[in-house]
């Protein structure tokens, strides 16, 4: 694995051409034939007396036997996506659930319900569902299937059902969480401590990258807006200076070309770099939550083991409960281990692809 420190170094043996760099980083394992394809498109505004909201069309095509049809088309609003995410977290507390875009736009980039905001959100929701579809465990979740196939009234009815067994188990975990928050987990395996340290460092670095990328975009936009004014000024100036008219028109034409190149570069930043960095900022928060939930499950086992050591009676009852908790901790650990390796590989591929693409875009920009 590439360490975070190594990311900052440059190897002279690496190919110089961005195209060959991109070609160097291909998935080693070609993905298996997919049997579930999901598209999120066609945003539609709904205005009622109480609220204004957007729904998106979710089209699913599949060859899986557990689906009654090969194609489904439903409309979903943001709250439905939130419900799905919470159900996945409830059913799989130590799996890394993909992030959803925040409910309200941050950093004042665009206004809510503007075309740009809606399109940015549509892309993020599309990626969210496809990341779940590509996940070896989450893709077979029953609530995910209901989300993709149920009509609006059926989904509404399903949402009204009470919390399931896993939710009640989750409440038990939260009840003992206070004992965990104190001095940390006593018997946490070393690998999860290392994961915790990695996530803390990753979170700091990805947040810095996110801030720098937004600053670069803001500076580019200011530069672009200034250039847009300078072009017409030189054209007007040429009309009153016959001797240097051709030179001034040449400068105006040059500024216009620079404007177009800068606009293309800004589009590359806003479409390719900013969304990926922000997605991994959200991932860092999700990873912290997953590690906390793993610790809470471990904490529940530790507290029961302490209670058993202090009790002289009811040993059989406690022993049976501890056996179940040990199984639960082992399942949680194994789920997180497998998902961690998968997430890390995806993250490294995404980062390599994003930054090599950005390098190539920058080269094209300076050439132009």
């Amino acid at each position: 694995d590439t360490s975070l420190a190594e990311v900052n170094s440059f190897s002279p043996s690496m190919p110089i051409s961005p195209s060959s760099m991109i070609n160097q980083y291909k998935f080693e394992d070609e993905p298996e034939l997919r049997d579930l394809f999901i598209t999120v498109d066609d945003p539609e505004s709904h205005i009622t007396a109480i609220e204004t909201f957007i729904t998106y069309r979710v089209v699913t095509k599949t060859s899986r036997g557990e689906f009654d049809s090969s194609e489904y088309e439903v409309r979903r609003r943001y709250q439905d996506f939130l419900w799905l995410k919470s159900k996945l977290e409830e059913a799989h507390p130590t799996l890394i659930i993909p992030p959803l875009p925040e409910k309200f736009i941050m950093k004042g980039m665009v206004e809510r319900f503007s075309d740009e905001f809606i399109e940015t959100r549509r892309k993020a929701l599309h990626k969210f569902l496809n990341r779940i579809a590509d996940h070896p465990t989450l893709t077979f979740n029953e609530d995910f299937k209901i989300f993709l196939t149920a009509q609006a009234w059926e989904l509404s009815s399903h949402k009204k059902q009470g919390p399931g067994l896993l939710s009640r188990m989750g409440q038990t975990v939260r009840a003992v969480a206070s004992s965990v928050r104190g001095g940390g987990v006593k018997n946490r395996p070393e690998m999860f401590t290392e994961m915790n340290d990695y996530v803390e460092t990753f979170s700091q670095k990805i947040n810095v990258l996110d801030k720098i990328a937004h600053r670069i975009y803001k500076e580019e936009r200011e530069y672009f807006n200034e250039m847009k004014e300078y072009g017409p000024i030189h054209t007007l100036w040429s009309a009153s200076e016959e001797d240097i008219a051709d030179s001034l028109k040449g400068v105006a034409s040059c500024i216009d070309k620079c404007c177009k190149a800068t606009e293309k570069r800004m589009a590359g930043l806003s479409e390719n770099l900013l969304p990926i960095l922000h997605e991994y900022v959200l991932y860092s928060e999700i990873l912290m939550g997953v590690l906390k939930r793993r610790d809470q499950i471990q904490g529940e086992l530790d507290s029961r083991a302490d209670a058993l050591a202090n009790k002289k009676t009811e040993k059989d009852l406690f022993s049976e409960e501890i056996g179940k908790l040990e199984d639960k901790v082992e399942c949680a650990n194994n789920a997180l281990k497998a998902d961690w390796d998968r997430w890390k590989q995806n993250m490294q591929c995404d980062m390599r692809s994003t930054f090599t693409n950005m390098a190539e875009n920058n080269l094209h920009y300076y050439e132009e």
Side-chain angles (χ1 to χ4, degrees):
D1 285 339
T2 307
S3 73
L4 288 168
E6 287 168 345
V7 172
N8 297 327
S9 64
F10 179 77
S11 165
S13 64
M14 286 179 75
I16 301 303
S17 160
S19 297
S20 56
M21 285 168 74
I22 291 166
N23 291 336
Q24 184 188 19
Y25 296 121
K26 294 292 183 190
F27 283 108
E28 291 177 9
D29 302 316
E30 286 298 318
E32 294 176 14
L33 288 172
R34 291 180 60 190
D35 56 5
L36 187 62
F37 296 87
I38 303 167
T39 309
V40 178
D41 61 12
D42 190 26
E44 195 176 280
S45 296
H46 300 264
I47 300 169
T48 69
I50 303 169
E51 60 179 341
T52 300
F53 60 93
I54 310 290
T55 62
Y56 300 84
R57 182 174 66 172
V58 178
V59 177
T60 305
K61 295 183 180 180
T62 182
S63 56
R64 290 185 188 172
E66 64 264 30
F67 285 82
D68 297 330
S69 174
S70 60
E71 188 169 339
Y72 294 89
E73 181 179 314
V74 295
R75 293 204 73 85
R76 297 286 180 255
R77 57 185 294 185
Y78 181 77
Q79 286 180 358
D80 300 327
F81 286 86
L82 275 180
W83 169 83
L84 173 61
K85 185 171 182 288
S86 70
K87 294 299 281 185
L88 292 173
E89 285 174 350
E90 177 192 311
H92 308 282
T94 56
L95 288 183
I96 301 165
I97 313 298
L100 271 175
E102 296 98 336
K103 184 160 187 176
F104 299 105
I105 198 72
M106 304 297 282
K107 303 184 190 299
M109 291 287 289
V110 288
E111 289 181 15
R112 192 165 176 241
F113 297 132
S114 70
D115 290 346
E116 188 184 346
F117 170 73
I118 291 168
E119 177 58 14
T120 301
R121 172 168 282 185
R122 182 201 65 75
K123 286 179 180 174
L125 296 176
H126 176 86
K127 182 178 271 191
F128 169 73
L129 291 184
N130 279 279
R131 285 207 188 271
I132 295 169
D134 291 339
H135 193 284
T137 304
L138 300 176
T139 188
F140 297 108
N141 178 276
E142 188 60 27
D143 287 306
F144 181 46
K145 180 185 167 189
I146 288 166
F147 177 91
L148 296 176
T149 61
Q151 290 306 310
W153 65 269
E154 293 174 303
L155 182 66
S156 179
S157 172
H158 184 74
K159 281 172 158 185
K160 287 173 184 171
Q161 293 175 10
L165 171 67
L166 282 162
S167 177
R168 293 197 294 275
M169 285 168 69
Q171 288 162 11
T172 309
V173 170
R174 284 192 290 276
V176 299
S178 54
S179 64
V180 177
R181 290 192 195 106
V185 181
K186 289 185 296 183
N187 302 315
R188 181 202 279 159
E190 181 64 25
M191 74 168 296
F192 295 111
T193 301
E194 288 171 6
M195 269 187 207
N196 212 64
D197 294 342
Y198 184 98
V199 170
E200 283 182 10
T201 307
F202 177 79
S203 177
Q204 289 166 5
K205 287 181 180 280
I206 202 72
N207 273 284
V208 168
L209 283 171
D210 187 51
K211 284 175 186 168
I212 290 170
H214 275 91
R215 193 177 73 214
I216 289 170
Y217 181 82
K218 183 170 175 275
E219 288 171 0
E220 285 284 313
R221 190 170 54 185
E222 288 168 358
Y223 174 57
F224 172 72
N225 288 336
E226 284 182 14
M227 274 202 300
K228 272 203 306 189
E229 293 176 10
Y230 289 137
I233 285 170
H234 283 77
T235 304
L236 289 169
W237 188 7
S238 69
S240 59
E241 295 278 3
E242 288 182 17
D243 295 345
I244 54 171
D246 290 343
S247 297
L248 289 170
K249 283 176 184 175
V251 171
S253 172
C254 175
I255 291 172
D256 185 53
K257 283 179 185 174
C258 287
C259 252
K260 286 172 181 169
T262 304
E263 192 169 23
K264 200 188 296 181
R265 189 190 196 196
M266 283 165 57
L269 285 169
S270 66
E271 289 170 19
N272 302 320
L273 179 67
L274 296 179
I276 290 287
L277 289 178
H278 193 62
E279 182 185 18
Y280 279 96
V281 167
L282 298 176
Y283 256 128
S284 69
E285 294 167 8
I286 285 166
L287 286 163
M288 287 175 181
V290 167
L291 286 163
K292 274 183 189 171
R293 287 197 289 274
R294 194 223 70 86
D295 282 354
Q296 286 168 2
I297 294 168
Q298 176 94 53
E300 189 175 7
L301 172 61
D302 292 347
S303 68
R304 288 291 182 271
D306 290 344
L308 176 61
N310 296 329
K311 288 231 177 186
K312 305 295 181 192
T313 58
E314 303 174 4
K315 285 216 168 188
D316 291 342
L317 184 65
F318 266 98
S319 297
E320 186 183 343
E321 190 178 352
I322 283 172
K324 288 178 183 174
L325 285 170
E326 283 173 344
D327 291 343
K328 190 176 172 186
V329 168
E330 190 176 353
C331 287
N333 289 350
N334 290 338
L336 180 50
K337 276 183 213 169
D339 228 21
W340 173 260
D341 292 337
R342 184 179 176 279
W343 174 83
K344 210 169 173 186
Q345 187 181 10
N346 284 345
M347 179 271 290
Q348 288 168 349
C349 285
D350 282 346
M351 288 297 158
R352 284 173 188 145
S353 172
T354 298
F355 283 109
T356 48
N357 280 335
M358 190 177 75
E360 190 162 71
N361 287 342
N362 282 347
L363 277 180
H364 289 321
Y365 168 75
Y366 287 115
E367 283 168 0
E368 284 181 49

